[in-house]
Amino acid sequence: MNKDQRYRPTRGHSIAAALAAGLFGLLLFAGRRLLLLPEFYYSVHLSLGLAAVVVCWLVALQGWAVFPHTLSTERLMMGALFFSAGTLFSVHFVLSFTEADASAALFSLAARFTLAWGLLFLFLRPDEVMERQSGQRWQAFLAAFLYTAVVSLFIHITSPFWPALGTSRWPFWWRAGEGAVGLLDAAAAVFAWRRFRQGRTPASLYWSMALLLFALGQWLLMRGSGYGLWGQLYEMAGFLYVVRAMYVETVEKPYLELKHREQQLEMMANALGEGLLMVNRDGQIVWMNPEASRLIGATLEEAKGKPLFSFVSLAGPSGDKWDWKQLRRVVKRLKSGEVIRVEEEPFRRRDGVCLPVGYTLAPVLENGALAGLVAVLRDMTEKKEKERLEREREQLDFELSLAANMQRSLLQTSSKMNLPSYIDIGVLSVPARVLSGDFYHFAVHQTSVSVGIADVSGKGIPAAMLMTLMKFILDRTVHYGTQPHVYLDLLNRFAYDYTEPSMFVTMFVGNYNEKTHTFSYACAGHEPALWYRAKTKQCVPLAAKGCALGLFPQFSFETKSVVLEPGDFVLLYTDGVTEKRGEEADDDFSVLASMVARVSLDQPAPEIVRELYEHIQAYHRYEPKDDQTLLLLRRR
């Protein structure tokens, strides 16, 4: 409840309180012209007294009936309080037909005094929830009965000593008693209003109005017999507010709370990703959420009150529709209280759409009899699609693993080849994915050794396929001559004719001659190789003119050469070794040269490559985003 909703009734009651106070002031200062003392005053007095009796007994009965459900201390004490007041008012009403004026007045005053101090006591303390015990109501109402009996006995014994009420001017004891009761009512009204302002319960507003009217009525009764009818009218208006307060507390408030919880439950059910559906004992749909409406293909308005199986039909494991024997077996299981769970079953709607649905049937039992069931429906379409995609992914992973094994078998390693004594080769290739777009090559001829390294644009399956083709062609090309630019010219023609226009290959190839110790090389848009000179311990870049393979049908590649001294080596690499994407860094050659300077070069070539790769991993810090390949050729 927001602030405007909370204080909207406050304005109306404030106006009513102001009118009541204004009329009270008018009665006090306007003289006796407004006083009501008709000939039928006695009848009106009895009628208003009877109404007060009825209200008190209603509140008492309500307190007795509601307490077991609320266990509220305040409810129980209020019921007992109005029981005492109702009893005293009843005695007053009976004695009003006799000549015992003093006794009747004393019982009326005692009833008002009981209500005044009792309500003040209740509104002074917070309400508490009692522990459920037997006999609590009887104890409270028995205490109220004993209190009433003691008060009644006291009045009966002392009534002869009280002066009778006059017709025009009432005695002092009556005026003092009515005034004291009015003060108690006014104090209780203040505490009831404070409770309302604290936001405990809306009924406190009606209690504060009732007690205010009681107080004004008591002060009018204190003025004398001429004000008696007005006092009783104020009192009757207060009792009407009491009835309203009890209605708000026992009927309206629980109803609003129940409605609010019902709305919350409905919102929660509508937000569920599963269909929720309620069916009565006759198999008719009572309620369902939007997901259930989607699954059965009908709105709640269309399906409510109609049999569930008029909208859907189930099929058994063999695909046949359920027969009534199967349904009777299901109903028998539900009557025994069993919850039925089905992981998946074909579910055909009335419009012909077939869905895989998993469902749970939970019985609703009343006194051991099946009163209905709650069905939770789960659309398994997405799950089955995920399972299908998972199977396809597993199959693809299996095929990729086979392709990766085949790819690795194509790439030669130095450990599987008998190298001549005059060279030492180390190779390491790490794919960023299952399949690599990098490849390397080296072959031993009669008087020379050829090496090569390449990087196919892109990654994954397309790059791996192109890499395999290029590796195959390269293995066949090296027999046509020893000049590296010849290799590149033949590979470029093949790449241009048989690859996608968006794909290309960068490559670096070289040939080491045993007799001349010359390393001849050519480059097709690849990173320059690193030439390490053992005498000077310096790294020199080896670059040559050339563009990537597959971009142009013809290109004039060039071959350059250097002489390798003992201990010199040439390091070929792909851009994934030194490239940091999204970061500005020195050129690849400088980065790699700094790493070579930190490696122990007295060990074999495979160990040099492995240690160098450890420095590369530290340089990248995280998992590499591109394929990484190193090939080192060293003259012994």
Side-chain angles (χ1 to χ4, degrees), residues 126-266:
D127 191 14
E128 296 178 355
V129 178
M130 301 176 66
E131 296 182 1
R132 186 180 295 275
Q133 297 178 0
S134 60
Q136 291 169 322
R137 289 186 297 178
W138 289 104
Q139 294 171 6
F141 278 78
L142 179 59
F145 176 77
L146 293 177
Y147 166 82
T148 306
V150 171
V151 172
S152 300
L153 182 61
F154 173 78
I155 293 174
H156 177 70
I157 294 174
T158 61
S159 60
F161 304 102
W162 297 91
L165 296 179
T167 57
S168 60
R169 187 172 181 82
W170 292 352
F172 174 76
W173 64 268
W174 174 265
R175 294 170 179 269
E178 295 289 356
V181 171
L183 290 175
L184 292 174
D185 286 333
V190 172
F191 286 105
W193 173 257
R194 188 180 69 173
R195 176 180 290 191
F196 170 73
R197 296 290 295 182
Q198 292 173 350
R200 295 188 185 179
T201 170
S204 300
L205 176 62
Y206 295 97
W207 278 112
S208 63
M209 282 296 300
L211 290 165
L212 174 63
L213 293 172
F214 284 161
L216 296 177
Q218 297 303 126
W219 290 329
L220 287 174
L221 291 174
M222 183 181 65
R223 298 284 295 176
S225 59
Y227 295 86
L229 184 57
W230 283 107
Q232 283 192 297
L233 290 174
Y234 269 89
E235 188 178 63
M236 193 63 244
F239 276 116
L240 292 177
Y241 269 100
V242 169
V243 173
R244 176 61 177 166
M246 300 310 298
Y247 168 79
V248 169
E249 192 69 21
T250 60
V251 178
E252 187 177 87
K253 179 182 176 182
Y255 170 77
L256 293 176
E257 291 179 352
L258 182 62
K259 187 176 180 180
H260 178 65
R261 291 179 182 177
E262 181 181 350
Q263 292 174 348
Q264 286 182 324
L265 290 174
E266 186 172 354

